[in-house]
Amino acid sequence: MRSKDRISYFYDGDVGSVYFGPNHPMKPHRLCMTHHLVLSYKLHDKMEIYRPHKAYPVELAQFHSVDYVDFLHRITPDTQHLFSNELAKYNLGEDCPVFDNLFEFCQIYAGGTIDAARRLNNQLCDIAINWAGGLHHAKKCEASGFCYINDLVLGILELLKYHARVLYIDIDVHHGDGVEEAFYFTDRVMTVSFHKYGDLFFPGTGDVKEMGEKEGKFYAINVPLKDGIDDTSFTRLFKTIISKVVEIYAPGVIVLQCGADSLAGDRLGCFNLSIDGHAECVRFVKKFNLPLLVTGGGGYTKENVARCWAVETGVLLDTELPNEIPENDYIKYFGPDYSLKIPSGHIENLNSKSYLSSIKMQVLENLRCIQHAPSVQMQEVPPDFYIPEFDEDELNPDERINQRTQDKHIQRDDEYYEGDNDHDHHMDDV
């Protein structure tokens, strides 16, 4: 057992200020709400808080195609009407709209996951948290499911520089298709996704029969579930499968995507999980005492998303949070009872014992096909991506450079203030 986990937490208030548009279910404002719960419970006193660097286009192109990254960089709401062919090619539109500061939004959330991976690689922390990350649907050359840049793939690529085997676990209600697809042909990454499957539910992939190909055969694990799964069924299945995966695969590091749309009452979800049930998965993964990168993901009832990720931050810090939410700038969203926990839901559980047993047996059977953890000939580790120095002479004088660009990446003391110096608290609901 480690004596005490060192936790690094990544946050930039700018990430919560973007707006996907009217009636769009994705509300990045939930990230500000989460952060203010973390502050109100004084959890920031127990962690190192960092503002992530904005990922450079060349960093994003470690996975994504250069032309796609370049298009995201250039496109704006005012110019999109000129690029109808490209919008269709890159799947930008209703689900993945072009909005103000889209590219900067991608740079910040991806930068957080990349920075988290690097701190783990350099053994500067044991657990790294980026609730803004976890956008698991984005593909190499296109956006998908509200996701533009796949920060998880970029973070895993970073971890692979130092670790022979990376385990990716996904408890979002939607299948983690973008991450699975990126590593479908390799045994260096095992992907394990627990998700709703069937009834044309997005993205339509994630059958138990999808298990990887070539060198990656048996290294993609899918746990397809039906509507209404509850805490008891979900956590029992999760613990059985994940304990066997860790035993057989022997990963050097774990990436855990904590999409909160698997909670009861989610605007787009269909499960019955309480926050306690969801958080129990996080608690279980933490007990393996492996380096751990934790991200957010989906979650569309934003007050419950904030509750969930605040509780899970507490879990990672071994800190039980009082159920009464302390005063904070977003307290009005948590009424009328202002309590932290939400109960499980009441959707009919269509997951029979026999169905769950058959899924479990198929997954365990596939795991038995892996004789032992794959050995990897580790080459000389490539350097962390070179970050160019800030050179005023080379800056375009027409481009606005704000103070944030020149700030150091570590969070300033005044970021903690919940008063006039807190730049996030002025934000209205989006």
Side-chain angles (χ1 to χ4, degrees):
M1 287 287 289
R2 294 188 290 243
S3 56
K4 193 168 188 337
D5 288 318
R6 298 163 301 157
I7 318 279
S8 293
Y9 170 100
F10 294 87
Y11 177 73
D12 184 326
D14 290 346
V15 83
S17 63
V18 299
Y19 183 44
F20 274 61
N23 304 317
H24 196 290
M26 177 61 94
K27 309 284 186 190
H29 182 243
R30 66 201 179 129
L31 299 165
C32 299
M33 295 169 63
T34 300
H35 186 62
H36 279 266
L37 281 186
V38 166
L39 294 178
S40 69
Y41 277 107
K42 310 296 185 197
L43 297 178
H44 57 287
D45 293 337
K46 304 180 179 186
M47 307 184 284
E48 293 182 334
I49 312 290
Y50 294 94
R51 177 187 283 137
H53 85 286
K54 288 186 192 173
Y56 289 85
V58 69
E59 291 179 278
L60 304 180
Q62 298 301 301
F63 169 58
H64 295 283
S65 64
V66 172
D67 62 310
Y68 173 54
V69 172
D70 183 58
F71 186 73
L72 286 179
H73 200 171
R74 287 186 294 114
I75 193 70
T76 68
D78 293 337
T79 60
Q80 62 178 326
H81 67 281
L82 303 172
F83 297 99
S84 55
N85 289 343
E86 287 88 346
L87 291 172
K89 174 182 176 183
Y90 298 124
N91 198 32
L92 297 171
E94 192 173 353
D95 272 3
C96 301
V98 175
F99 52 80
D100 287 328
N101 302 313
L102 166 60
F103 193 67
E104 182 182 38
F105 172 68
C106 295
Q107 288 179 291
I108 294 171
Y109 78 71
T113 301
I114 293 167
D115 285 352
R118 289 184 183 147
R119 286 194 70 78
L120 289 168
N121 279 346
N122 292 309
Q123 299 180 9
L124 297 173
C125 63
D126 305 302
I127 298 172
I129 303 169
N130 178 29
W131 292 125
L135 280 76
H136 58 173
H137 295 307
K139 307 295 199 301
K140 180 182 175 73
C141 303
E142 67 177 45
S144 177
F146 318 156
C147 305
Y148 302 83
I149 292 293
N150 199 316
D151 62 291
L152 292 158
V153 172
L154 295 169
I156 291 169
L157 289 173
E158 201 66 36
L159 293 170
L160 286 170
K161 294 177 182 178
Y162 284 72
H163 298 279
R165 291 176 301 283
V166 177
L167 172 60
Y168 171 73
I169 304 170
D170 189 317
I171 57 172
D172 194 289
V173 77
H174 300 95
H175 177 225
D177 58 337
V179 183
E180 177 185 280
E181 183 178 297
F183 300 110
Y184 207 61
F185 298 99
T186 180
D187 56 8
R188 295 280 312 279
V189 181
M190 178 173 279
T191 59
V192 187
S193 179
F194 297 78
H195 50 266
K196 153 80 176 182
Y197 179 74
D199 308 322
L200 302 178
F201 193 73
F202 185 86
T205 52
D207 191 353
V208 71
K209 296 181 179 66
E210 297 168 28
M211 60 183 78
E213 293 180 24
K214 299 182 179 173
E215 285 77 22
K217 189 169 186 185
F218 304 120
Y219 291 90
I221 293 175
N222 284 298
V223 185
L225 302 167
K226 302 178 189 295
D227 287 5
I229 195 159
D230 55 29
D231 288 350
T232 305
S233 304
F234 191 92
T235 55
R236 183 187 296 138
L237 190 60
F238 182 88
K239 291 177 180 181
T240 301
I241 289 172
I242 295 303
S243 55
K244 199 55 154 175
V245 163
V246 171
E247 175 194 333
I248 291 177
Y249 188 60
V253 60
I254 298 176
V255 177
L256 177 59
Q257 196 267 21
C258 298
D261 46 9
S262 43
L263 291 175
D266 187 81
R267 181 173 167 185
L268 299 186
C270 52
F271 286 175
N272 284 328
L273 299 186
S274 69
I275 288 176
D276 282 336
H278 198 273
E280 181 59 29
C281 298
V282 178
R283 182 176 287 107
F284 186 74
V285 171
K286 180 181 185 293
K287 284 179 181 170
F288 291 108
N289 285 320
L290 289 165
L292 178 59
L293 198 169
V294 179
T295 73
Y300 307 100
T301 301
K302 63 184 182 177
E303 61 275 15
N304 290 347
V305 175
R307 286 179 165 105
C308 182
W309 292 343
V311 167
E312 288 170 353
T313 304
V315 165
L316 294 166
L317 289 165
D318 294 316
T319 302
E320 185 80 29
L321 305 184
N323 195 37
E324 185 177 343
I325 294 176
E327 180 61 40
N328 69 85
D329 290 334
Y330 299 100
I331 190 71
K332 68 177 190 278
Y333 292 101
F334 302 104
D337 57 355
Y338 307 102
S339 61
L340 188 61
K341 300 296 175 68
I342 63 161
S344 51
H346 304 289
I347 298 172
E348 182 186 359
N349 187 355
L350 300 180
N351 299 272
S352 65
K353 285 188 176 178
S354 61
Y355 175 74
L356 293 175
S357 178
S358 74
I359 293 295
K360 179 182 75 175
M361 296 314 294
Q362 287 177 80
V363 168
L364 295 180
E365 183 59 40
N366 289 344
L367 278 170
R368 273 192 282 275
C369 296
I370 301 171
Q371 294 307 308
H372 49 78
S375 62
V376 175
Q377 183 69 44
M378 295 297 282
Q379 309 298 330
E380 183 178 350
V381 176
D384 287 346
F385 180 74
Y386 169 67
I387 304 297
E389 290 298 315
F390 188 97
D391 187 343
E392 292 187 18
D393 294 336
E394 293 185 7
L395 286 175
N396 181 344
D398 296 330
E399 288 185 2
R400 178 177 60 85
I401 300 297
N402 58 21
Q403 181 61 41
R404 186 209 170 284
T405 311
Q406 300 173 53
D407 280 347
K408 290 183 177 177
H409 295 152
I410 192 161
Q411 202 85 317
R412 303 188 311 277
D413 288 342
D414 60 51
E415 288 290 328
Y416 296 142
Y417 297 164
E418 296 174 71
D420 294 338
N421 288 324
D422 184 351
H423 304 300
D424 299 335
H425 90 293
H426 298 297
M427 237 159 355
D428 294 321
D429 182 21
V430 292

